[in-house]
Amino acid sequence: MDTVLLGLAVGLAVGAVVGLVGAGGAIIAVPALVYVVGLEPEDAVPTSLIVVGLASLAGAVPRLRRDVSWPLVLMVAVPGIPASWAGTAVGELLDPDWLMLCFALIMIVAGIRMLASARNSAPAVRSAEHGSWGGLALRGIPVGLVVGFLTGLLGVGGGFLIIPALTLLLGVPMPRAIGTSLVIIAINSASGFAAHLDGLFIDWTLALSFAAMAMVASLAAARLAHRLNEALVSRIFAAVIFTVALGVLVQTVPKLLPAETAAAPAGPPAASASLAASRLSFGERSLNVLVENHTAEDLVISAAQLESPAYAGPAPWTPADGDAATLRPGGRVALPVELPEAACGNHGPGFEAAVRLELGTAGELVVPAADPYRTVAEAHGRDCLQQEVDAVASFALAPELEVAADGRSAVVRVLLTPSGGSGTVSVRIGTTTLLSEAPGHPWPREIEVDAADEPSILELQAVPARCDAHGLAEDKAGTRFPLEVGIAATRNGQLRLEPPAEFTAAVYGFVRSACAAQ
């Protein structure tokens, strides 16, 4: 209950800012959800996208008729969608503190320009809306690409960048820029939310109460904004920018300054470690620990283990042949480890990881494990989703495959075994790279399974999905059926049905014979 009340209070502030100045929602919402409400960052981001998207949509409603430039929405929002994905990919490779410092500097520049525009009501350039479609595209599409890329790179909703671009670069009056910005933010929020669907967890009570208050505040603020002159709105917008920029600088600059220490600087580490998914063990619960030797001598690794609070115990590595791994100076080795049971909680543990190396007579070395691709977080999300599904029902592939008399189709059986406890799970079974639905026999689209149901069997009539020469030789996922699952409408994601060896052999034989008969 306290969390919901906090969400309502924060939603009031977020909605007011969004409705009044057409921006600022994500920058306020994400820190508030993390530091005030207490969500983990990975849960706060998609929740914020729901709130800001709905608040922006509500704030845009009173402005749809006169204060939204639909040509500019088309020219800025559409190219901004792929550009934001590109910016997100680049941002994952850069230090987040430097990104936030760049973000603060961009906000300060934008705030100064907005204060300057408040002193001069005339637009700096001729409005792009008055030109031809060619001229509009020439000026609007680059703005959309730049704004979309910076939005993805900096991880914000985009309003702080969109409004200065519309007013200062495209000559759009402030009221019209705000309305146009709100529509673009709503589109960007929907696109960003779609990017977080895999392994998504949402506290819907919090999110919907937060969003409802934000929408009401946004509507009220949008009506108030029509009574204010452009100069006042510009000053309010600049004040919000400077306030957030100051907060970012206070949090970021100390982290970038060199630490003062009385001791001499430490030498380079003897070794470093990073994590990556194992490409040779598709469908298995294993990771590769990549260890690199930074010394001028050989490192002899007799044993190693990955340690993370995300899992109930360590993930050990031991040499397959009993011999230690010798790592040459400057060399790197991949140590495969099998993940133990995940430690799943209400908000999830931290995802920091370390590697403990046994170096024979040289002793023990513990090094932090860099995880640039969030390998542990993604594996942990799948494991916890699997635990929640198993608490309701288990799904398994029957080992046998019933092939039709003509050899052109077969029946795949999925065994559903409810746990006998409580809860429901919705399931959709997808096709694979080797098997697809038989014509005229579609597979069930949505399956609702209750923990108290009786065991049952799903029969899927399948035909080969491909008959090219390399289909079977290169297959890794053709016998693993994807399951799109949802738990009580609060958590969803994708799991895979792991096949018995007999089933895999039967599928390969069926595809070969069915393709030969075509």
Side-chain angles (χ1 to χ4, degrees):
M1 186 63 181
D2 292 340
T3 299
V4 174
L5 292 177
L6 287 173
L8 291 173
V10 176
L12 179 63
V14 170
V17 172
V18 170
L20 190 60
V21 300
I27 291 181
I28 295 175
V30 172
L33 287 169
V34 173
Y35 298 114
V36 178
V37 179
L39 293 185
E40 294 293 329
E42 59 268 20
D43 297 332
V45 170
T47 302
S48 170
L49 290 172
I50 295 174
V51 175
V52 173
L54 292 176
S56 299
L57 194 60
V61 169
R63 298 178 165 98
L64 290 179
R65 291 187 178 180
R66 59 178 180 176
D67 286 337
V68 174
S69 173
W70 294 107
L72 282 176
V73 169
L74 177 66
M75 294 300 177
V76 176
V78 173
I81 293 174
S84 66
W85 285 70
T88 300
V90 173
E92 292 176 353
L93 304 177
L94 302 178
D95 187 291
D97 291 328
W98 282 106
L99 285 179
M100 293 308 296
L101 179 62
C102 294
F103 175 43
L105 296 177
I106 289 175
M107 286 194 294
I108 291 173
V109 172
I112 293 173
R113 295 294 301 271
M114 294 304 295
L115 285 179
S117 68
R119 299 188 184 96
N120 182 11
S121 59
V125 294
R126 182 175 179 270
S127 177
E129 298 178 90
H130 301 313
S132 63
W133 274 95
L136 183 64
L138 187 63
R139 296 164 65 181
I141 291 178
V143 169
L145 292 173
V146 173
V147 168
F149 182 81
L150 291 178
T151 298
L153 181 69
L154 301 175
V156 296
F160 284 113
L161 305 173
I162 296 170
I163 289 184
L166 293 178
T167 56
L168 303 177
L169 299 181
L170 299 180
V172 179
M174 177 59 76
R176 196 161 176 81
I178 291 176
T180 305
S181 171
L182 287 170
V183 176
I184 295 173
I185 292 172
I187 295 173
N188 287 345
S189 297
S191 174
F193 183 76
H196 289 82
L197 288 178
D198 187 19
L200 179 68
F201 173 77
I202 293 288
D203 183 341
W204 288 105
T205 302
L206 170 64
L208 294 179
S209 60
F210 192 171
M213 180 58 73
M215 291 174 69
V216 172
S218 181
L219 280 169
R223 298 184 182 279
L224 175 62
H226 283 297
R227 303 178 183 178
L228 305 176
N229 59 44
E230 294 185 21
L232 178 59
V233 174
S234 295
R235 292 189 182 98
I236 294 174
F237 182 67
V240 173
I241 287 180
F242 288 138
T243 301
V244 177
L246 178 61
V248 172
L249 290 174
V250 169
Q251 292 290 327
T252 304
V253 171
K255 299 178 182 178
L256 299 175
L257 294 176
E260 296 182 2
T261 57
S272 63
S274 61
L275 304 177
S278 177
R279 303 300 182 189
L280 299 179
S281 57
F282 186 90
E284 299 178 9
R285 301 182 60 259
S286 61
L287 302 177
N288 276 337
V289 177
L290 307 178
V291 181
E292 186 170 354
N293 182 2
H294 296 298
T295 70
E297 301 178 352
D298 292 349
L299 288 181
V300 180
I301 305 175
S302 57
Q305 64 183 31
L306 175 68
E307 301 173 351
S308 172
Y311 285 89
W317 170 83
T318 53
D321 54 5
D323 295 330
T326 300
L327 187 55
R328 302 299 182 188
R332 188 169 70 165
V333 65
L335 310 178
V337 298
E338 189 75 14
L339 292 174
E341 181 181 359
C344 302
N346 292 332
H347 300 294
F351 295 115
E352 298 81 7
V355 177
R356 189 178 301 273
L357 302 173
E358 297 289 342
L359 303 179
T361 57
E364 183 180 82
L365 178 64
V366 179
V367 295
D371 194 4
Y373 304 107
R374 291 178 53 83
T375 308
V376 172
E378 291 184 8
H380 180 268
R382 289 193 301 269
D383 290 348
C384 291
L385 178 61
Q386 184 70 65
Q387 288 184 21
E388 293 184 31
V389 171
D390 291 342
V392 177
S394 63
F395 301 81
L397 287 166
E400 69 277 357
L401 186 71
E402 182 182 335
V403 180
D406 60 4
R408 296 178 180 272
S409 64
V411 175
V412 177
R413 292 183 172 87
V414 180
L415 311 179
L416 276 65
T417 308
S419 66
S422 61
T424 60
V425 58
S426 62
V427 179
R428 179 175 180 175
I429 303 176
T431 58
T432 76
T433 55
L434 289 183
L435 297 175
S436 62
E437 299 173 335
H441 299 278
W443 298 355
R445 297 304 178 200
E446 296 292 340
I447 306 166
E448 292 288 338
V449 180
D450 192 282
D453 290 344
E454 294 295 324
S456 60
I457 299 176
L458 290 177
E459 294 189 345
L460 313 176
Q461 294 202 29
V463 295
R466 57 188 296 187
C467 284
D468 57 281
H470 302 289
L472 293 179
E474 299 178 355
D475 175 68
K476 291 183 179 180
T479 59
R480 292 179 166 91
F481 285 78
L483 294 182
E484 297 291 342
V485 298
I487 301 291
T490 60
R491 183 179 176 92
N492 58 67
Q494 187 181 92
L495 303 174
R496 287 185 181 271
L497 279 178
E498 294 302 319
E502 304 93 325
F503 178 82
T504 298
V507 169
Y508 286 171
F510 161 66
V511 172
R512 288 192 186 95
S513 61
C515 289
Q518 292 183 2

